[in-house]
Amino acid sequence: MLLEVIATNLTDVKDAAQFGADRIELSPAMTELGITPSYGLINKTMEAVSISVNVMVRPHSQSFVYNKNDIETMKSDIEMIKNLGANGIVIGALTPEQTVDEEVIKQLLDIADGLEVTFHRAFDFARNQLEALECLAKYDQITTILTAGGDYKAPDAIPQLNQLIHLAKDTHLSIMVGHGLRAETFTDVYHQLKPQAFHFGSGVRVNDSFDNSLDADKIKKIKQIMQVS
């Protein structure tokens, strides 16, 4: 069972590692669902911590639909991320019809050779999550799907999440549950789901807000639940 924590800056990075996160998703601008971090932030992150770091690759926050210029930007960013030594990347792309954009994904995966790949919450905005899972299962490089079970908060989508977890067992994919998770209600969610990974953002921060720093006590509580239960 893995705990991934979102870090938006270098202080978050250092705190997440110190407080007990198993992996970091490096992703600034979370009020916009995350964008690609700067070279400087990625570089300093890799110097600062020894735990795994997966880096968001998203050139803008307008949508999950990307044009030729966006794709070229993302490919260049993935090369940079590889060169700086990150564990993996976090990507996602949809067509205007809200299906997985395989043409974009194929191009990004070609560049990402050797990196672990998570498909981010673009998955939750696809027209059909089961259809999207079946599509992503064709790509061995994609190891993880981050999902809340649709355009919901994860605790409000337990049946959908359990269905996705069940279906993923017949594939190489891992389901990582995230969005809307809170330390104080985590025990119930954990016992109802038990996926292979959980992903926390604002829910492990002071006052549950990205405006504030990470909260060591919340991360400790979540880790204890995951280890004891």
Side-chain angles (χ1 to χ4, degrees):
M1 183 71 69
L2 179 143
L3 173 61
E4 180 176 272
V5 171
I6 296 172
T8 63
N9 54 54
L10 188 58
T11 300
D12 286 352
V13 167
K14 294 178 179 180
D15 286 348
Q18 180 182 347
F19 298 163
D22 300 310
R23 187 171 69 201
I24 289 168
E25 182 193 277
L26 190 62
S27 181
M30 284 307 301
T31 55
E32 301 176 77
L33 299 181
I35 59 172
T36 308
S38 68
Y39 173 95
L41 178 54
I42 302 169
N43 185 42
K44 288 300 179 183
T45 292
M46 300 315 301
E47 292 177 355
V49 298
S50 58
I51 64 172
S52 295
V53 177
N54 288 355
V55 182
M56 175 65 73
V57 179
R58 189 173 178 229
H60 59 71
S61 60
Q62 295 168 352
S63 72
F64 298 112
V65 178
Y66 301 115
N67 62 29
K68 180 179 179 180
N69 294 325
D70 298 327
I71 296 166
E72 291 305 310
T73 300
M74 289 190 285
K75 288 162 70 173
S76 180
D77 283 335
I78 291 169
E79 289 282 12
M80 171 187 68
I81 291 163
K82 280 172 56 174
N83 291 337
L84 289 174
N87 173 72
I89 55 172
V90 183
I91 62 173
L94 300 177
T95 67
E97 294 74 35
Q98 305 304 300
T99 61
V100 173
D101 194 329
E102 293 189 72
E103 292 308 310
V104 173
I105 294 300
K106 287 175 185 176
Q107 291 186 61
L108 301 185
L109 292 178
D110 283 344
I111 304 297
D113 185 40
L115 293 174
E116 189 175 292
V117 179
T118 295
F119 194 94
H120 59 50
R121 285 196 61 240
F123 181 84
D124 288 339
F125 299 91
R127 68 183 185 186
N128 183 305
Q129 276 73 54
L130 304 186
E131 175 187 60
L133 188 151
E134 184 177 334
C135 176
L136 295 174
K138 296 187 293 184
Y139 299 95
D140 290 341
Q141 284 174 268
I142 300 174
T143 59
T144 305
I145 297 172
L146 170 60
T147 179
D151 189 12
Y152 315 98
K153 292 182 178 180
D156 299 328
I158 299 298
Q160 296 95 313
L161 285 165
N162 270 322
Q163 185 179 22
L164 292 168
I165 292 167
H166 175 74
L167 291 172
K169 287 180 179 178
D170 294 327
T171 76
H172 68 282
L173 294 164
S174 296
I175 297 297
M176 179 166 59
V177 173
H179 184 58
L181 299 174
R182 297 287 181 265
E184 59 270 20
T185 58
F186 180 61
T187 299
D188 288 343
V189 174
Y190 176 83
H191 284 296
Q192 290 180 83
L193 292 173
K194 292 194 176 180
Q196 291 174 288
F198 280 100
H199 171 92
F200 274 82
S202 60
V204 287
R205 291 175 180 269
V206 175
N207 295 329
D208 295 332
S209 172
F210 276 111
D211 291 336
N212 301 320
S213 62
L214 291 171
D215 187 319
D217 289 338
K218 289 182 178 180
I219 294 176
K220 180 180 179 181
K221 179 178 180 180
I222 290 161
K223 290 286 288 187
Q224 288 174 339
I225 293 166
M226 293 169 67
Q227 291 166 357
V228 173
S229 301

